Amino acid sequence: MKKLLILMLMFSFYGKVFSQTERYIYQTEVNPDTINLVNMKVENTFLDIKGNQSLFISESKLLRDSLTTVLRQQGITETKKSKKDKSEFPKLPNGKSIQPTFFDYFITKNRDDRSVNFVESIGSKQVYYQEDRKMNWEISTQVSDFNNHKVQKATMNFGGRTWTAWFAPEIKIADGPYKFLGLPGLILKLEDDKGDYRFSFVKKINIEKAFSEIIKPEARKSTRINFQGDKASVRMEMVKNKDPEINFDSFNRMNQRNGGMNGGFGGQQGMNGMPNGDMGGQPDMQMGNPSSQSPSNSGSVMNFGNTNPIELSNKY
């Protein structure tokens, strides 16, 4: 009954926060530890395009955030306790749990002015900064084929890693996974020189009603250098004020223990071929289906065993 209620609430909520979207789905592989020999973790990340605006977000975070939004609309700000006195987030209507993610944040981009905003949540509060580093791509003449598209090679040093991107000039969207944009075509494949992060385009889907993340008017604006300190300040204020929203945040941080680390400065979920836009038993990636919405709100850098952040340096 509780799952059915959540399902109904999500249907009724669509008209307020959902809109038409072009979604580019990437299979994303992450090496969670640069010291120990471990298997690559795999999850889905999305690049949602609407006009000149885009949103980069992981599937798990989108699931968690949308469900959290619905619960907050009903005045539910506390997670229930299990028999072992651990916080439990409500399961999806299909009975499955939301998987941890290495990307517990979202990124918004405007391709007209090339602005990039990195946003994290602490409970219902947001802290964000605008990326201040230029992306100076070196475009090669080397071409190849990837996923039935002609692609061209480009490289760039960013965040302490050397990145190689393969973009499709035929897809006139100067965007890509994570913060990356500015190439004359959509980035279909992206990996760093250490082989720790790899984004591979799988498919595009059009969605009539997709959950939309936005930067709230009351969000705390920070800078890239002061970001961690401002997040800590917001968290301390919430704890001091005994804000009940901190319960969601505490649950989400605990839930990362088996999933990894915030990728700002630093879940495994298989692709299964994704027939019909879903994941072979996993939630529907279109997010037009309530069994595929997300809530994940984190406030600080997750460091539960993952020692391999996506950005190794805060200088470059």
Side-chain angles (χ1 to χ4, degrees):
M1 179 63 70
K2 188 170 185 177
K3 294 176 184 177
L4 180 60
L5 176 60
I6 292 175
L7 183 64
M8 294 173 63
L9 292 175
M10 297 185 83
F11 270 126
S12 66
F13 199 66
Y14 277 179
K16 299 180 181 179
V17 296
F18 296 83
S19 55
Q20 190 171 6
T21 301
E22 289 184 352
R23 172 160 295 158
Y24 293 84
I25 303 167
Y26 293 82
Q27 174 178 291
T28 303
E29 301 168 78
V30 180
N31 174 14
D33 198 323
T34 56
I35 299 176
N36 301 307
L37 183 62
V38 297
N39 294 328
M40 297 284 280
K41 302 297 183 182
V42 181
E43 64 175 304
N44 291 331
T45 54
F46 299 151
L47 182 66
D48 284 0
I49 304 289
K50 281 187 60 181
N52 65 341
Q53 308 284 331
S54 71
L55 167 72
F56 172 80
I57 193 168
S58 73
E59 180 179 35
S60 290
K61 177 167 174 58
L62 192 58
L63 283 164
R64 188 172 301 281
D65 283 357
S66 57
L67 182 53
T68 298
T69 298
V70 172
L71 294 175
R72 284 179 178 141
Q73 289 292 312
Q74 300 304 308
I76 302 172
T77 58
E78 295 186 6
T79 54
K80 70 175 184 177
K81 297 290 186 178
S82 67
K83 293 181 179 179
K84 295 182 179 180
D85 199 34
K86 292 183 178 180
S87 296
E88 287 187 338
F89 201 85
K91 293 183 182 296
L92 296 169
N94 62 6
K96 295 184 178 295
S97 299
I98 299 170
Q99 298 301 305
T101 178
F102 280 93
F103 306 92
D104 202 22
Y105 48 82
F106 68 88
I107 296 170
T108 64
K109 288 177 269 186
N110 183 313
R111 293 189 301 282
D112 286 346
D113 60 13
R114 294 195 177 187
S115 59
V116 178
N117 291 297
F118 183 96
V119 188
E120 287 193 29
S121 299
I122 306 172
S124 61
K125 310 295 183 182
Q126 289 181 340
V127 185
Y128 76 101
Y129 68 87
Q130 187 168 104
E131 179 58 54
D132 58 350
R133 294 166 290 184
K134 292 184 178 180
M135 299 190 180
N136 299 313
W137 292 101
E138 294 184 11
I139 300 178
S140 167
T141 58
Q142 185 176 348
V143 295
S144 185
D145 293 296
F146 178 76
N147 202 349
N148 299 317
H149 292 278
K150 296 291 184 182
V151 292
Q152 188 171 347
K153 183 179 180 181
T155 57
M156 178 176 62
N157 294 322
F158 186 85
R161 297 179 185 269
T162 299
W163 294 90
T164 297
W166 292 89
F167 66 95
E170 66 190 67
I171 305 177
K172 307 297 184 181
I173 300 174
D175 212 327
Y178 192 57
K179 298 177 179 179
F180 299 111
L181 79 170
L183 286 168
L186 181 68
I187 298 173
L188 299 186
K189 188 174 182 180
L190 177 73
E191 58 186 331
D192 72 297
D193 56 328
K194 304 180 191 311
D196 292 336
Y197 285 83
R198 184 180 302 115
F199 301 84
S200 301
F201 169 72
V202 178
K203 66 186 299 184
K204 170 193 170 184
I205 56 178
N206 294 315
I207 310 170
E208 289 297 323
K209 297 179 179 180
F211 182 78
S212 178
E213 296 275 18
I214 61 171
I215 300 176
K216 301 175 182 178
E218 67 274 15
R220 172 80 66 90
K221 186 173 183 179
S222 181
T223 64
R224 184 168 55 88
I225 302 302
N226 297 330
F227 190 58
Q228 301 302 329
D230 284 339
K231 287 195 300 179
S233 175
V234 170
R235 181 181 296 281
M236 289 178 64
E237 289 175 8
M238 294 181 71
V239 172
K240 181 179 179 180
N241 296 331
K242 298 181 179 180
D243 192 326
E245 290 282 356
I246 205 70
N247 290 322
F248 271 134
D249 184 56
S250 298
F251 167 80
N252 290 315
R253 288 185 292 113
M254 177 198 71
N255 198 44
Q256 298 301 314
R257 293 184 183 274
N258 294 322
M261 180 178 192
N262 180 308
F265 302 109
Q268 187 169 10
Q269 190 162 309
M271 297 293 290
N272 297 328
M274 298 184 305
N276 301 319
D278 61 30
M279 298 177 54
Q282 297 296 329
D284 180 4
M285 290 182 301
Q286 296 189 37
M287 303 301 173
N289 182 333
S291 66
S292 50
Q293 313 308 325
S294 124
S296 175
N297 296 309
S298 117
S300 59
V301 170
M302 298 295 113
N303 194 0
F304 299 128
N306 177 10
T307 59
N308 196 6
I310 191 169
E311 291 187 32
L312 298 172
S313 171
N314 196 21
K315 297 180 181 180
Y316 309 104

